[in-house]
Amino acid sequence: MAGKSKKRRRILGRFIYTMLLLAFMAVLTYGAYTWLTRVYDYAEQYELSRPQKAVDAYLETLNRDKWNDGLERAISQMPHETQSDEEIKAFVQSKLTDNITAVRKSGATDSGTLAYSLRCGNREIGSMTITEDQNYRGKVNLNDMPWPLVSRFLPGILEWGLKPWVVSGDSFDFTNLYNSMEITVPSTYSVYLNGTLLGEEYIMADGIHYDVYEDYYYDLPNLPTKVTYRFDNVIGNVDVEIRDEDGNVVTIDPSKGDVQFIKPVDEETQQRLMALMEPFTEKYLVFRSGATDSGLALANLKPYIIPGSDIDKRAQNALDGLSWAHTNSFKLTDYKFNGVLPLMNGCYVCNVTATTDTYTYGKGEVTDIMELNVIVYDDGYTTLAFQVN
C-alpha cells in the first residue's frame, strides 16, 4: 500500500509541475505577445508620425491632379477681369508640367509646425505648412510595459513625438505669369479683351498726336488724338479686338502710321479739291514770283482764297516787297496733285508738286521743283484755300 501511495504522489507532483510550467509558459508567451504587439504599435505609430509622410501624401495628390483647394483659392484671388476662372486654371495647369517638390524651409518655426517651399522645376510656386495633430489619440501608452523599462535603460529614446502630421495650410503665387498689354489707338476707338470692353480707367496716356497731323495741331487744337490703353492683368494669351467709332473691327498695321486711322476723302469731295488746286497753284506761284504786276496777280488769286485768310493777309503784306522783284518771266511747266489729308470741320490738306521756270535778272533761267501743302475749306458748295505751308 505504501508503494502505491508513493507512486501516486510522484505522478501528482509531475502533473502539478507540468501545469505550473505550462502556466508559466502561457504567461511568458502572453507577456511576450503583448510587448511585441506594443512594440509593433509603437513602430506603426512612429512611422505615421514622420513629417515626410504628410508631405509625400500631399505631393502625390497635387502632382496627380495638378489642382487642389490651395490652387483654386490662389486663382480666385488673382485679378483676371477679362478671363474666366476655368481659363486661368487651364493655363496654370499647363505650366505645371514638371514634378512639384517640397523643400524644407530653414529658420525658426512655431513648435509643432514645419514649413516647406513648393517648387516646380527651378521655380518656387508656393509654400505649405504641416502641423502635429494635437487631437490624435493613438494606441501607444508609454506608461504600459515595456516602455518604462525602455525609458529606464535607454533614457530619451522615447521622447520623439508620436502624433501624425497634417497639412495645416498652403498658398500659391502665380503673379509671375502676368503680362502687360499696351496699345495705342484713336480716342474714338474701343478696345476689347476677350470680349470685355476696357474702360477709361485703363487709359494711361491721352492727347497723343497723330503723326500726320503734327504740323497742324497748333492752328487746329481739336484735331483727333490717340490714347494708350494698358492692362496689367493678362495671363497667357488674350484675344485683343479693336473697333472703330462705327463698331467695325479694325486691324492695325504698325508699318502704315496714323494715316490708316483717317477715313479717305470721298470721290466727289476730292474732285472739287482737285478742280481748285491746279488754278490756285498757278495763280499763287505767279503772285509769289513777282513776274507780273503784284496787284493784278493778287486780284487773279483772290477768287481761289478765303477773304481775310492767312493767304490773303500774307499776300497783302508782300505787295510792297514783290514790287522790287527782279523776275522777268514765270511759267508753270508741270503740276501734280499728290493727295489729300482730311482735317476737321470741312478742312483738308492738299499736297501738290509744281515745276516752274523763271527768268531773273542776274541769274538767268532757273527751274524749281516745289511741294506745297495747302489747307482748303470745302463745305460741298464753297471750295477755297486759306493757308499754304
Side-chain angles (χ1 to χ4, degrees), residues 58 62 67-74 77 116 118 125-130 167-173:
Y58 174 87
L62 184 58
W67 194 249
N68 65 8
D69 291 341
L71 282 169
E72 184 173 5
R73 194 166 52 249
Q77 294 170 357
Y116 293 81
L118 296 175
I125 61 171
S127 61
M128 66 173 290
T129 55
I130 59 173
V167 176
S168 56
D170 60 356
S171 62
F172 295 88
D173 182 8

Side-chain angles (χ1 to χ4, degrees), residues 67-352:
W67 194 249
N68 65 8
D69 291 341
L71 282 169
E72 184 173 5
R73 194 166 52 249
I75 286 177
S76 67
Q77 294 170 357
M78 294 172 66
H80 50 278
E81 301 94 315
T82 63
Q83 295 165 285
S84 67
D85 287 352
E86 286 302 314
E87 289 174 321
I88 304 304
K89 173 182 177 180
F91 184 78
V92 169
Q93 286 180 319
S94 71
K95 295 297 181 181
L96 301 178
T97 53
D98 292 331
N99 198 47
I100 301 173
T101 58
V103 179
R104 175 81 175 272
K105 288 186 177 181
S106 59
T109 56
D110 296 335
S111 177
T113 301
L114 298 176
Y116 293 81
S117 169
L118 296 175
R119 296 180 175 274
C120 186
N122 296 323
R123 180 170 54 87
E124 183 177 64
I125 61 171
S127 61
M128 66 173 290
T129 55
I130 59 173
T131 307
E132 284 187 318
D133 187 357
Q134 300 299 327
N135 297 320
Y136 179 78
R137 295 292 178 265
K139 296 182 290 183
V140 176
N141 184 350
L142 296 180
N143 294 320
D144 292 339
M145 294 297 287
W147 310 126
L149 290 176
V150 174
S151 296
R152 179 176 179 182
F153 293 104
L154 298 171
I157 196 171
L158 298 179
E159 293 179 2
W160 301 324
L162 291 178
K163 297 182 183 300
W165 295 78
V166 294
V167 176
S168 56
D170 60 356
S171 62
F172 295 88
D173 182 8
F174 294 107
T175 54
N176 64 310
L177 297 180
Y178 277 126
N179 293 314
S180 295
M181 187 285 299
E182 191 171 302
I183 189 169
T184 300
V185 297
S187 59
T188 56
Y189 281 22
S190 302
V191 178
Y192 292 80
L193 297 186
N194 285 355
T196 300
L197 174 65
L198 296 186
E200 293 182 356
E201 64 272 21
Y202 295 105
I203 295 177
M204 61 169 292
D206 58 9
I208 302 170
H209 291 179
Y210 280 40
D211 51 16
V212 291
Y213 287 153
E214 193 59 56
D215 295 334
Y216 306 103
Y217 281 105
Y218 180 80
D219 295 317
L220 299 169
N222 292 325
L223 282 171
T225 57
K226 299 179 293 181
V227 296
T228 297
Y229 286 89
R230 182 180 176 87
F231 188 81
D232 293 320
N233 298 331
V234 175
I235 301 176
N237 296 321
V238 177
D239 180 29
V240 180
E241 185 177 84
I242 301 168
R243 300 181 187 176
D244 63 18
E245 56 271 14
D246 297 324
N248 301 312
V249 176
V250 176
T251 300
I252 296 178
D253 185 346
S255 66
K256 291 184 177 180
D258 294 339
V259 70
Q260 67 186 299
F261 302 133
I262 301 172
K263 291 184 177 180
V265 177
D266 64 85
E267 184 64 27
E268 185 177 345
T269 300
Q270 182 158 312
Q271 288 300 322
R272 289 196 300 271
L273 296 172
M274 293 173 67
L276 168 76
M277 285 308 299
E278 186 166 6
F280 165 81
T281 301
E282 182 179 14
K283 303 302 181 186
Y284 174 76
L285 293 178
V286 167
F287 170 78
R288 197 176 75 169
S289 71
T292 62
D293 179 82
S294 298
L296 179 60
L298 179 57
N300 292 333
L301 176 63
K302 278 185 175 292
Y304 303 99
I305 65 174
I306 295 175
S309 65
D310 181 74
I311 297 175
D312 193 8
K313 292 176 182 178
R314 288 175 181 269
Q316 295 288 347
N317 293 333
L319 281 174
D320 289 341
L322 289 173
S323 64
W324 294 90
H326 299 291
T327 303
N328 187 43
S329 65
F330 170 89
K331 183 179 180 181
L332 180 65
T333 59
D334 191 38
Y335 165 84
K336 182 181 180 182
F337 185 91
N338 299 317
V340 56
L341 174 68
L343 295 177
M344 56 179 296
N345 300 328
C347 294
Y348 303 85
V349 178
C350 296
N351 180 267
V352 299

Side-chain angles (χ1 to χ4, degrees), residues 48 243 375:
L48 290 173
R243 300 181 187 176
I375 300 180

